[in-house]
Amino acid sequence: MPNRDRILLRGAKLICPFSGLRGETLDILISGKRIAEIGEGIECAEVFALDLSGLYLSPGWLDMHVHLREPGREDEETLASGRLAALSGGFTAVCCMPNTDPPVDCAAVAEEIAARASEGTGADVFCVGAITVGRKGGRMVEMDRMRSSAGRVVAFSDDGCCVQDAGVMRRALEYARRFDGLIIDHCEDHALSSGGQVREGPCSFRLGLRGYPSMAEEVMVARDLLLAEHTGSRIHLAHLSSARSVEMLRAARERGVRVTAEVTPHHLFFTDEDVDGLDPRFKVNPPLGSREDREALRRALADGVIDAVATDHAPHSLEEKEVEFERAPFGMIGLESAFSACCTALLESGSLDVFALVERLTAGPARALGLDPRLYGEGIKKGARADLVAFDPEAERVVDADDFLSFSRNCPFDGMRLKGKVELTVKDGKLFFPPGSRLSGSIGEARMGRGRACGSVADIGCGAPGADADDV
Ligand code: DOR
């Protein structure tokens, strides 16, 4: 009988920014939850073998910015559905933002999330705690108590809102400095953005909608870079959308400010011209920018001034999102379209190569967060956790939101033909095949004793919540 705990992944091209692999074709033997061996032509009896030739294999990706809506809006997403959606998109770890109900502004809420997120199959979840109580911008949370709790709190942010009072932000940065903590900054001056629907400019004028000026982001980027420089604290700029912001980030980095940044797939892919049809799925905060903004973001990601791609996955219910543009909430889901959006926007245009893209999905965010490699970032090496993703950057897919494992459907990529497909995610040694994976047939073959694969593997997820080998 094949050993149900051993899996041989054959013939993939390995990419690992942590261990320096750049496309070498090697086999990987997984035993239990860990990588047991890496080498050429590994021969091994009694294993489940999967042929990955033609595919790349990298460490599972880390999305440092998602909204999983639990507690409070479990109709839009739960920790369980979000963690499966993450695996489906190639992410084996995510950081969830604190704008839940109740918000993550004390250790008890973070601990509850961590406990719920440890049940069943799915991506690892880390918490981003709020900066201020209730995310109201006033009294600071007990950061130290939160970070040393069992709540897996790795950074602090009032995301969804921006701390408007510069004095509060300064104190938050100073406090975080004491334990070298990270503040994640949703940069928005609410007085400037108030009532804004789309990026202020030719498109907002043409559509007759209230503009949200890029300045609303830029003044906070400027303020917080100065505050971070003054306090010597680590700051991370979330979902950057403007060329001016990128310029300030670049200059601050050159001065040695301890700043990192992320960009979303939608800001790399779309522009404000895409909002022309007034489809509320394109309504997002910060709003989609101009072509110049998009070009600056792509360039900054390519040269490493922007460290990470992060989805800002923001599920919303159909009833709330599919209304007139001005009444719809901001946000779009992204976990299950991110990789295709990035391949199409970046690899096609030659902005980035596949190695740089994988870096911005793995080591880049891990570095920005300063994560302990035991939590994320051991890379592909003997003894490391078997958290991996196999993908084809050239394969085409038509995005079908009905296939998503997220509970929500507010995805502007729905129906688009894109390049780049995740074919397999391995989490703690278990195989997970996203819906539509060309590899999922190999399980059937394995069960029927055909092909090179032999035997069955326990706990194989197969694109359906709760499915395991016995359901396949
Ligand atoms: O568009 C957005 N939606 N931007 C945010 O900052 C928050 C998010 C949400 O929670 O819906």
Short mmCIF file of all heavy atoms in Angstrom, two decimals, residues 165-201:
data_model
loop_
_atom_site.label_atom_id
_atom_site.label_comp_id
_atom_site.label_asym_id
_atom_site.label_seq_id
_atom_site.Cartn_x
_atom_site.Cartn_y
_atom_site.Cartn_z
N ASP A 165 -5.55 62.33 13.24
CA ASP A 165 -4.85 63.21 14.17
C ASP A 165 -3.35 62.87 14.15
O ASP A 165 -2.95 61.77 14.56
CB ASP A 165 -5.46 62.99 15.56
CG ASP A 165 -4.88 63.92 16.61
OD1 ASP A 165 -3.65 64.14 16.61
OD2 ASP A 165 -5.66 64.41 17.45
N ALA A 166 -2.54 63.83 13.71
CA ALA A 166 -1.10 63.57 13.57
C ALA A 166 -0.46 63.26 14.92
O ALA A 166 0.50 62.48 15.00
CB ALA A 166 -0.42 64.77 12.92
N GLY A 167 -1.02 63.83 16.00
CA GLY A 167 -0.47 63.56 17.33
C GLY A 167 -0.68 62.10 17.73
O GLY A 167 0.21 61.46 18.29
N VAL A 168 -1.87 61.58 17.42
CA VAL A 168 -2.16 60.17 17.72
C VAL A 168 -1.24 59.27 16.90
O VAL A 168 -0.66 58.31 17.41
CB VAL A 168 -3.65 59.84 17.45
CG1 VAL A 168 -3.92 58.35 17.63
CG2 VAL A 168 -4.56 60.65 18.37
N MET A 169 -1.10 59.61 15.63
CA MET A 169 -0.24 58.78 14.77
C MET A 169 1.20 58.82 15.27
O MET A 169 1.88 57.79 15.31
CB MET A 169 -0.33 59.29 13.32
CG MET A 169 0.29 58.35 12.32
SD MET A 169 -0.51 56.71 12.35
CE MET A 169 -0.08 56.12 10.73
N ARG A 170 1.65 59.98 15.68
CA ARG A 170 3.02 60.07 16.20
C ARG A 170 3.18 59.19 17.43
O ARG A 170 4.15 58.44 17.54
CB ARG A 170 3.32 61.53 16.56
CG ARG A 170 4.65 61.68 17.24
CD ARG A 170 4.86 63.06 17.80
NE ARG A 170 6.11 63.07 18.57
CZ ARG A 170 6.68 64.16 19.03
NH1 ARG A 170 6.14 65.33 18.82
NH2 ARG A 170 7.80 64.08 19.71
N ARG A 171 2.20 59.24 18.34
CA ARG A 171 2.31 58.41 19.55
C ARG A 171 2.26 56.92 19.21
O ARG A 171 2.98 56.12 19.79
CB ARG A 171 1.20 58.77 20.54
CG ARG A 171 1.54 60.00 21.37
CD ARG A 171 0.65 60.10 22.60
NE ARG A 171 -0.76 60.24 22.27
CZ ARG A 171 -1.34 61.38 21.85
NH1 ARG A 171 -0.61 62.48 21.72
NH2 ARG A 171 -2.62 61.42 21.57
N ALA A 172 1.42 56.57 18.24
CA ALA A 172 1.34 55.15 17.83
C ALA A 172 2.69 54.68 17.28
O ALA A 172 3.16 53.59 17.62
CB ALA A 172 0.24 54.97 16.79
N LEU A 173 3.30 55.53 16.46
CA LEU A 173 4.60 55.16 15.89
C LEU A 173 5.65 55.05 17.00
O LEU A 173 6.46 54.12 17.01
CB LEU A 173 5.03 56.19 14.84
CG LEU A 173 4.30 56.08 13.50
CD1 LEU A 173 4.43 57.37 12.69
CD2 LEU A 173 4.84 54.91 12.68
N GLU A 174 5.63 55.99 17.93
CA GLU A 174 6.61 55.96 19.02
C GLU A 174 6.42 54.71 19.88
O GLU A 174 7.38 54.07 20.28
CB GLU A 174 6.47 57.21 19.90
CG GLU A 174 7.11 58.43 19.27
CD GLU A 174 6.79 59.73 20.00
OE1 GLU A 174 5.89 59.74 20.86
OE2 GLU A 174 7.44 60.74 19.69
N TYR A 175 5.17 54.38 20.14
CA TYR A 175 4.89 53.22 20.98
C TYR A 175 5.34 51.94 20.27
O TYR A 175 5.99 51.08 20.86
CB TYR A 175 3.39 53.17 21.31
CG TYR A 175 3.09 52.19 22.40
CD1 TYR A 175 3.51 52.44 23.70
CD2 TYR A 175 2.40 51.02 22.12
CE1 TYR A 175 3.25 51.53 24.71
CE2 TYR A 175 2.14 50.11 23.13
CZ TYR A 175 2.56 50.37 24.42
OH TYR A 175 2.31 49.46 25.41
N ALA A 176 5.00 51.83 18.98
CA ALA A 176 5.38 50.64 18.21
C ALA A 176 6.90 50.51 18.14
O ALA A 176 7.45 49.41 18.11
CB ALA A 176 4.78 50.70 16.82
N ARG A 177 7.58 51.63 18.14
CA ARG A 177 9.05 51.64 18.06
C ARG A 177 9.68 50.89 19.23
O ARG A 177 10.72 50.26 19.09
CB ARG A 177 9.53 53.12 18.06
CG ARG A 177 11.01 53.33 18.11
CD ARG A 177 11.60 53.19 16.71
NE ARG A 177 13.04 53.32 16.72
CZ ARG A 177 13.88 52.29 16.81
NH1 ARG A 177 13.43 51.06 16.92
NH2 ARG A 177 15.18 52.50 16.79
N ARG A 178 8.98 50.92 20.36
CA ARG A 178 9.55 50.29 21.56
C ARG A 178 9.74 48.78 21.38
O ARG A 178 10.60 48.18 21.99
CB ARG A 178 8.66 50.55 22.78
CG ARG A 178 8.50 52.02 23.10
CD ARG A 178 8.64 52.28 24.58
NE ARG A 178 7.61 51.58 25.34
CZ ARG A 178 6.60 52.19 25.95
NH1 ARG A 178 6.49 53.49 25.90
NH2 ARG A 178 5.72 51.48 26.61
N PHE A 179 8.88 48.17 20.56
CA PHE A 179 9.07 46.73 20.30
C PHE A 179 9.32 46.48 18.82
O PHE A 179 9.14 45.38 18.33
CB PHE A 179 7.87 45.91 20.83
CG PHE A 179 6.53 46.39 20.38
CD1 PHE A 179 5.99 45.93 19.18
CD2 PHE A 179 5.80 47.29 21.14
CE1 PHE A 179 4.75 46.37 18.76
CE2 PHE A 179 4.55 47.71 20.73
CZ PHE A 179 4.03 47.26 19.53
N ASP A 180 9.74 47.51 18.12
CA ASP A 180 10.02 47.46 16.68
C ASP A 180 8.82 46.92 15.89
O ASP A 180 8.96 46.18 14.93
CB ASP A 180 11.28 46.63 16.39
CG ASP A 180 11.98 47.12 15.12
OD1 ASP A 180 11.79 48.30 14.76
OD2 ASP A 180 12.68 46.32 14.48
N GLY A 181 7.64 47.34 16.32
CA GLY A 181 6.41 46.92 15.66
C GLY A 181 6.17 47.68 14.36
O GLY A 181 6.80 48.71 14.11
N LEU A 182 5.24 47.16 13.58
CA LEU A 182 4.94 47.75 12.27
C LEU A 182 3.56 48.41 12.27
O LEU A 182 2.58 47.80 12.67
CB LEU A 182 4.98 46.66 11.19
CG LEU A 182 4.68 47.14 9.76
CD1 LEU A 182 5.81 48.01 9.23
CD2 LEU A 182 4.46 45.94 8.82
N ILE A 183 3.53 49.65 11.80
CA ILE A 183 2.25 50.34 11.59
C ILE A 183 1.94 50.28 10.09
O ILE A 183 2.76 50.68 9.25
CB ILE A 183 2.34 51.82 12.03
CG1 ILE A 183 2.65 51.94 13.54
CG2 ILE A 183 1.07 52.58 11.65
CD1 ILE A 183 1.52 51.58 14.47
N ILE A 184 0.76 49.75 9.75
CA ILE A 184 0.33 49.71 8.34
C ILE A 184 -0.63 50.88 8.13
O ILE A 184 -1.64 51.01 8.83
CB ILE A 184 -0.35 48.37 8.00
CG1 ILE A 184 0.65 47.21 8.21
CG2 ILE A 184 -0.88 48.38 6.56
CD1 ILE A 184 0.10 45.83 7.87
N ASP A 185 -0.28 51.71 7.17
CA ASP A 185 -0.94 53.00 7.02
C ASP A 185 -1.91 53.01 5.84
O ASP A 185 -1.49 52.87 4.68
CB ASP A 185 0.17 54.06 6.81
CG ASP A 185 -0.31 55.47 7.10
OD1 ASP A 185 -1.46 55.64 7.53
OD2 ASP A 185 0.49 56.40 6.90
N HIS A 186 -3.20 53.15 6.14
CA HIS A 186 -4.20 53.42 5.09
C HIS A 186 -4.17 54.93 4.92
O HIS A 186 -4.70 55.66 5.75
CB HIS A 186 -5.57 52.92 5.56
CG HIS A 186 -6.72 53.36 4.71
ND1 HIS A 186 -7.55 52.48 4.05
CD2 HIS A 186 -7.20 54.59 4.41
CE1 HIS A 186 -8.48 53.14 3.39
NE2 HIS A 186 -8.30 54.43 3.60
N CYS A 187 -3.54 55.40 3.86
CA CYS A 187 -3.27 56.84 3.73
C CYS A 187 -4.45 57.56 3.08
O CYS A 187 -4.68 57.43 1.87
CB CYS A 187 -2.02 57.05 2.88
SG CYS A 187 -0.57 56.30 3.60
N GLU A 188 -5.19 58.29 3.88
CA GLU A 188 -6.36 59.01 3.34
C GLU A 188 -6.71 60.17 4.26
O GLU A 188 -7.02 59.96 5.43
CB GLU A 188 -7.56 58.05 3.24
CG GLU A 188 -8.85 58.72 2.81
CD GLU A 188 -10.04 57.76 2.74
OE1 GLU A 188 -9.85 56.54 2.95
OE2 GLU A 188 -11.17 58.24 2.50
N ASP A 189 -6.68 61.37 3.71
CA ASP A 189 -7.16 62.53 4.45
C ASP A 189 -8.67 62.59 4.21
O ASP A 189 -9.12 62.87 3.10
CB ASP A 189 -6.46 63.79 3.95
CG ASP A 189 -6.90 65.01 4.75
OD1 ASP A 189 -8.13 65.21 4.91
OD2 ASP A 189 -6.03 65.76 5.22
N HIS A 190 -9.42 62.30 5.26
CA HIS A 190 -10.87 62.16 5.08
C HIS A 190 -11.54 63.46 4.66
O HIS A 190 -12.55 63.44 3.96
CB HIS A 190 -11.51 61.60 6.36
CG HIS A 190 -11.07 60.20 6.66
ND1 HIS A 190 -11.29 59.58 7.86
CD2 HIS A 190 -10.41 59.28 5.92
CE1 HIS A 190 -10.79 58.35 7.85
NE2 HIS A 190 -10.24 58.15 6.67
N ALA A 191 -10.98 64.59 5.05
CA ALA A 191 -11.59 65.87 4.64
C ALA A 191 -11.45 66.05 3.13
O ALA A 191 -12.33 66.62 2.47
CB ALA A 191 -10.92 67.02 5.38
N LEU A 192 -10.35 65.56 2.56
CA LEU A 192 -10.14 65.71 1.11
C LEU A 192 -10.91 64.65 0.31
O LEU A 192 -11.32 64.91 -0.83
CB LEU A 192 -8.65 65.62 0.79
CG LEU A 192 -7.80 66.82 1.23
CD1 LEU A 192 -6.32 66.51 1.05
CD2 LEU A 192 -8.17 68.06 0.41
N SER A 193 -11.08 63.46 0.89
CA SER A 193 -11.73 62.38 0.11
C SER A 193 -13.24 62.38 0.30
O SER A 193 -13.95 61.74 -0.47
CB SER A 193 -11.17 61.03 0.55
OG SER A 193 -11.52 60.77 1.91
N SER A 194 -13.73 63.10 1.31
CA SER A 194 -15.12 63.01 1.72
C SER A 194 -16.11 63.10 0.55
O SER A 194 -16.08 64.04 -0.25
CB SER A 194 -15.41 64.13 2.73
OG SER A 194 -16.78 64.16 3.01
N GLY A 195 -16.97 62.12 0.43
CA GLY A 195 -17.99 62.10 -0.63
C GLY A 195 -17.46 61.65 -1.98
O GLY A 195 -18.23 61.42 -2.91
N GLY A 196 -16.15 61.50 -2.10
CA GLY A 196 -15.54 61.13 -3.39
C GLY A 196 -15.90 59.71 -3.79
O GLY A 196 -15.96 58.82 -2.95
N GLN A 197 -16.17 59.52 -5.07
CA GLN A 197 -16.61 58.22 -5.59
C GLN A 197 -15.56 57.56 -6.46
O GLN A 197 -15.41 56.35 -6.47
CB GLN A 197 -17.88 58.40 -6.45
CG GLN A 197 -19.04 59.01 -5.69
CD GLN A 197 -19.58 58.05 -4.64
OE1 GLN A 197 -19.77 56.87 -4.91
NE2 GLN A 197 -19.80 58.54 -3.44
N VAL A 198 -14.92 58.39 -7.29
CA VAL A 198 -13.88 57.90 -8.21
C VAL A 198 -12.75 58.92 -8.18
O VAL A 198 -12.93 60.04 -7.70
CB VAL A 198 -14.40 57.77 -9.67
CG1 VAL A 198 -15.42 56.67 -9.80
CG2 VAL A 198 -14.98 59.09 -10.16
N ARG A 199 -11.61 58.54 -8.74
CA ARG A 199 -10.47 59.44 -8.76
C ARG A 199 -10.84 60.78 -9.42
O ARG A 199 -11.43 60.79 -10.52
CB ARG A 199 -9.32 58.77 -9.53
CG ARG A 199 -8.11 59.64 -9.80
CD ARG A 199 -7.47 60.23 -8.58
NE ARG A 199 -6.98 59.22 -7.67
CZ ARG A 199 -5.83 58.57 -7.81
NH1 ARG A 199 -5.05 58.79 -8.84
NH2 ARG A 199 -5.46 57.69 -6.91
N GLU A 200 -10.54 61.87 -8.73
CA GLU A 200 -10.81 63.20 -9.30
C GLU A 200 -9.96 63.41 -10.54
O GLU A 200 -8.75 63.18 -10.52
CB GLU A 200 -10.49 64.27 -8.25
CG GLU A 200 -10.80 65.68 -8.69
CD GLU A 200 -10.53 66.68 -7.57
OE1 GLU A 200 -11.26 66.66 -6.57
OE2 GLU A 200 -9.56 67.43 -7.68
N GLY A 201 -10.58 63.81 -11.63
CA GLY A 201 -9.84 64.00 -12.89
C GLY A 201 -10.82 63.93 -14.03
O GLY A 201 -12.04 64.01 -13.83
#
